[in-house]
Amino acid sequence: NGAVGCNLVRKLLEQGSKVTILDDFSQSNTGNLPRHNNLKIVKGDITDKKALSKAFSKSFDYVFHLAARFANELSVKDPLEDLRVNVQGTLQVLLHASKQKPERFLYTSSSSLYGHQENPVMKEDMMPNPSTPYATSKLTAEYYCKSIHELYGMEYSIVRLSNSYGPYDPPGRYRNVIPNFFENAMHERPITITGTGKETRDFTFVEDCTDGIILAATKKRGKNQIFNLGTGKETQIRDIARLILDITGSKSKINHKPMRSFDHVKRRKMDISKAKRMLGYNPSTTIERGLDKTYQWFLTRR
């Protein structure tokens, strides 16, 4: 029920699906979710057997696993908790799902597992180079998806998301750069960039992420495959800050602080040719349009 989760739930409900959510709401709240007759919410932790048994008390055609302890900085502070939730939790969800043999188990992984590469264009067949416990836990969970498939025959798909942003992504100390920039700009507080601002990321609007997730889970060619989901474009962090200042009409100043010890990636762009070719994935939201839609959501929070 984070930003990607609640947008995915809304899209699935619009498509006429019946949806059950398991979430402990430690990083979100039920207010993000619509009230809907086809929506059932189970409150609990993915490492708790009772909560998992309750959530899996009926059979599902598809299981989407998005729960994770987010993100890099938090994992550096407490790597053991990161391991408990992101690895042990994922394995427990996989084991419960494997008893049902759904049509597909969809795991949302992260572009962070690529780490620093000589080539800034990330391809699925690159050797991962994780530099944080979070990135390591996401990679480990990918291997568990494959292991459970080999043992029990459960079909899976893995998507590696890249810097998703959009409605329902709140600001906060360990949250993403875009909501924090919006929060500061709208309150005329300084916007702080970690690094020079020339660093790039492949920022992906949340609706494009959820489209890719559903395609990966439902398309026959997505079976037991890993897909990058991004836009195939890189944007400098300083350009994000300037666009947000323009959109909000803010007079906030832009400050800089040094890179954190685990920030090794200066540039990142996702190669999405595999998802385009095999799934028909077609991210269409420009960064300007995506930021504008995000701003409209921030205005509703006031």
Side-chain angles (χ1 to χ4, degrees):
N1 179 41
V4 179
C6 68
N7 279 283
L8 177 63
V9 166
R10 286 165 188 274
K11 193 158 281 189
L12 291 169
L13 291 170
E14 281 167 22
Q15 293 177 357
S17 302
K18 290 184 176 178
V19 180
T20 297
I21 294 170
L22 171 62
D23 197 332
D24 67 357
F25 297 100
S26 59
Q27 296 172 30
S28 58
N29 62 68
T30 52
N32 285 354
L33 297 166
R35 293 189 173 182
H36 201 289
N37 290 337
N38 284 342
L39 179 62
K40 179 187 173 188
I41 298 170
V42 177
K43 191 170 182 185
D45 187 317
I46 58 166
T47 61
D48 178 30
K49 288 178 182 172
K50 278 186 184 172
L52 283 165
S53 296
K54 190 176 176 185
F56 281 97
S57 59
K58 61 178 186 180
S59 290
F60 300 105
D61 298 322
Y62 298 93
V63 176
F64 296 88
H65 178 43
L66 294 89
R69 192 163 186 269
F70 184 85
N72 286 306
E73 189 173 350
L74 209 50
S75 78
V76 171
K77 287 191 182 316
D78 192 350
L80 283 171
E81 181 63 6
D82 195 80
L83 174 78
R84 186 185 77 84
V85 177
N86 294 356
V87 179
Q88 185 188 327
T90 297
L91 179 56
Q92 287 184 222
V93 175
L94 278 163
L95 290 169
H96 272 80
S98 68
K99 289 173 188 165
Q100 297 190 350
K101 287 265 177 62
E103 288 187 37
R104 200 80 55 82
F105 183 98
L106 184 289
Y107 176 64
T108 53
S109 188
S110 167
S111 61
S112 66
L113 58 76
Y114 290 114
H116 174 71
Q117 302 279 349
E118 290 305 311
N119 182 349
V121 182
M122 307 298 160
K123 286 183 73 104
E124 290 92 345
D125 58 3
M126 276 180 166
M127 176 67 78
N129 184 25
S131 61
T132 64
Y134 174 75
T136 303
S137 72
K138 298 303 276 187
L139 178 60
T140 307
E142 286 191 6
Y143 285 124
Y144 272 114
C145 290
K146 187 174 185 300
S147 299
I148 297 302
H149 165 69
E150 297 291 341
L151 286 171
Y152 306 116
M154 181 169 69
E155 313 285 12
Y156 69 91
S157 302
I158 293 168
V159 293
R160 292 173 176 168
L161 303 185
S162 175
N163 295 86
S164 68
Y165 71 97
Y168 305 103
D169 192 7
R173 185 176 173 190
Y174 300 111
R175 303 302 305 176
N176 292 316
V177 65
I178 286 176
N180 282 330
F181 281 5
F182 266 114
E183 177 79 354
N184 288 341
M186 290 171 76
H187 289 91
E188 303 289 342
R189 295 194 293 256
I191 285 178
T192 302
I193 293 176
T194 304
T196 65
K198 292 180 184 177
E199 297 81 10
T200 68
R201 294 292 183 268
D202 189 336
F203 290 98
T204 315
F205 189 58
V206 69
E207 286 176 17
D208 289 325
C209 287
T210 54
D211 283 347
I213 287 169
I214 292 169
L215 285 168
T218 56
K219 289 283 184 183
K220 202 172 182 179
R221 295 182 74 193
K223 243 181 226 185
N224 311 322
Q225 295 287 334
I226 296 173
F227 297 98
N228 283 340
L229 297 184
T231 66
K233 299 182 179 75
E234 54 185 325
T235 306
Q236 290 190 349
I237 306 296
R238 63 182 181 180
D239 289 340
I240 293 287
R242 288 167 187 161
L243 282 166
I244 287 172
L245 291 178
D246 285 348
I247 289 166
T248 56
S250 174
K251 302 281 192 296
S252 293
K253 296 268 189 296
I254 296 177
N255 295 336
H256 292 264
K257 69 177 184 182
M259 298 284 277
R260 297 165 299 187
S261 60
F262 54 84
D263 282 330
H264 304 299
V265 181
K266 301 287 190 289
R267 291 176 63 196
R268 181 185 290 141
K269 180 169 80 167
M270 300 293 265
D271 182 327
I272 56 171
S273 56
K274 183 180 176 184
K276 282 185 162 184
R277 184 179 74 252
M278 292 177 67
L279 304 175
Y281 174 62
N282 182 31
S284 55
T285 313
T286 63
I287 191 71
E288 293 82 4
R289 176 89 180 107
L291 289 174
D292 191 55
K293 282 186 168 186
T294 305
Y295 180 49
Q296 298 309 315
W297 175 74
F298 263 90
L299 291 173
T300 68
R301 295 175 78 238
R302 287 193 147 182

